[in-house]
């Protein structure tokens, strides 16, 4: 009788321990899941917060209306008005007005080692271009300063007229179309990342109308 009572007591104690262990596991698991759900909610909230901030910044940007002079290249002045960049003239030993018999690599040069206009490392540039086949918008090009001039690598392709700039010297842009009328487009160009200090030019097909600017190194506080 005593042994039977002892067995029952042991079983009850064991069952109680199993129940307690299950309760502990359930509480621990539920707590872990609550932590995961809370963490996921915080993560999602952070994503929406960052997206909202980016959207607000873009929404607050000044988006200028198309100017009357479509031949110029513009930036925004301190009052957020469009201001034309000055043009300079470039030259190249390549015969770009003729159909090239052979592909050649040479240079495009602008006199003077530095542009007159200084812009921030993330400039906003506004210009007109068109979407006709065979045309492309002017490129933002990094220029090397050397021997009293600024240079970029220019290339001609056999069987074609005109010239191209070495892709390694072209700044990859973000393009935003602000207005469109037929094939004509008024757009904003900006670099995808901050420009390193140095000399830059906005080069299209006309070497007599090259807009140039300088990016200065940030001064230490």
């Amino acid at each position: 009788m005593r042994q039977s009572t002892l067995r029952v007591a042991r079983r009850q104690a064991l069952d109680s321990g199993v129940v307690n262990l299950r309760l502990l596991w359930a509480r621990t698991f539920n707590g872990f899941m609550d932590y995961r759900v809370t963490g996921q909610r915080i993560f999602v909230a952070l994503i929406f917060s960052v997206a909202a901030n980016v959207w607000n910044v873009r929404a607050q940007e000044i988006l200028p209306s198309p100017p009357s002079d479509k031949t110029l290249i513009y930036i925004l002045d301190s009052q957020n008005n469009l201001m034309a960049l000055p043009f300079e003239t470039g030259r190249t030993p390549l015969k770009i007005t003729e159909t090239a018999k052979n592909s050649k690599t040479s240079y495009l040069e602008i006199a003077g080692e530095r542009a007159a206009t200084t812009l921030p490392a993330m400039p906003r540039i506004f210009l007109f271009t068109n979407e006709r086949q065979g045309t492309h918008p002017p490129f933002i090009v990094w220029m090397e300063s050397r021997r009293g001039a600024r240079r970029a690598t220019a290339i001609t392709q056999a069987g074609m007229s005109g010239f191209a700039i070495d892709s390694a010297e072209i700044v990859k842009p973000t393009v935003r179309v602000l207005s469109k009328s037929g094939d004509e487009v008024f757009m904003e160009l900006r670099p995808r990342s901050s420009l390193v200090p140095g000399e830059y030019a906005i080069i299209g097909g006309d070497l007599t109308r090259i807009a140039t600017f300088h990016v200065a190194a940030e001064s230490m506080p």
Side-chain angles (χ1 to χ4, degrees):
M1 188 68 179
R2 289 181 178 177
Q3 290 180 351
S4 177
T5 302
L6 184 59
R7 290 194 187 97
V8 171
R10 287 177 177 175
R11 182 171 295 278
Q12 289 176 346
L14 181 60
D15 290 344
S16 176
V18 171
V19 170
N20 290 336
L21 182 60
R22 287 175 178 171
L23 287 174
L24 179 61
W25 166 253
R27 291 171 182 169
T28 303
F29 179 76
N30 289 337
F32 174 70
M33 291 304 294
D34 288 342
Y35 172 77
R36 287 189 63 186
V37 170
T38 301
Q40 289 173 352
R41 288 174 179 171
I42 293 173
F43 180 69
V44 171
L46 285 174
I47 290 177
F48 276 104
S49 177
V50 171
N53 288 335
V54 171
W55 176 264
N56 287 335
V57 169
R58 294 304 294 269
Q60 293 171 3
E61 287 181 342
I62 299 298
L63 299 179
S65 299
S68 57
D69 192 337
K70 301 176 182 180
T71 64
L72 302 177
I73 295 176
Y74 299 90
I75 56 172
L76 293 178
D77 63 17
S78 57
Q79 283 75 43
N80 290 320
N81 297 317
L82 288 175
M83 180 179 71
L85 282 172
F87 285 127
E88 297 188 70
T89 299
R91 69 176 190 87
T92 177
L94 297 171
K95 298 178 180 180
I96 60 176
T97 59
E98 302 175 6
T99 300
K101 296 180 180 179
N102 301 297
S103 297
K104 292 183 179 180
T105 298
S106 186
Y107 62 86
L108 185 156
E109 183 179 80
I110 302 172
E113 292 189 0
R114 181 167 175 170
T117 304
T118 299
L119 296 184
M122 286 292 287
R124 299 177 63 192
I125 297 165
F126 304 89
L127 53 85
F128 287 90
T129 185
N130 64 71
E131 295 181 329
R132 288 195 297 270
Q133 186 175 3
T135 63
H136 60 77
F139 295 120
I140 303 173
V141 177
W142 176 77
M143 308 289 289
E144 181 184 6
S145 296
R146 52 183 295 182
R147 298 177 183 176
R150 289 153 284 166
R151 282 190 177 187
T153 304
I155 304 167
T156 56
Q157 184 175 343
M160 299 181 67
S161 61
F163 68 96
I165 298 296
D166 188 341
S167 60
E169 297 169 3
I170 295 175
V171 176
K172 293 181 179 179
T174 296
V175 178
R176 177 159 53 171
V177 174
L178 302 183
S179 69
K180 181 178 178 181
S181 177
D183 291 334
E184 187 179 71
V185 175
F186 180 58
M187 65 170 58
E188 175 191 356
L189 292 180
R190 69 170 74 191
R192 295 183 185 179
S193 58
S194 297
L195 299 178
V196 298
E199 300 300 318
Y200 296 86
I202 303 169
I203 300 176
D206 188 351
L207 293 187
T208 66
R209 298 174 66 84
I210 299 177
T212 59
F213 63 93
H214 169 80
V215 173
E218 294 184 1
S219 58
M220 298 298 292

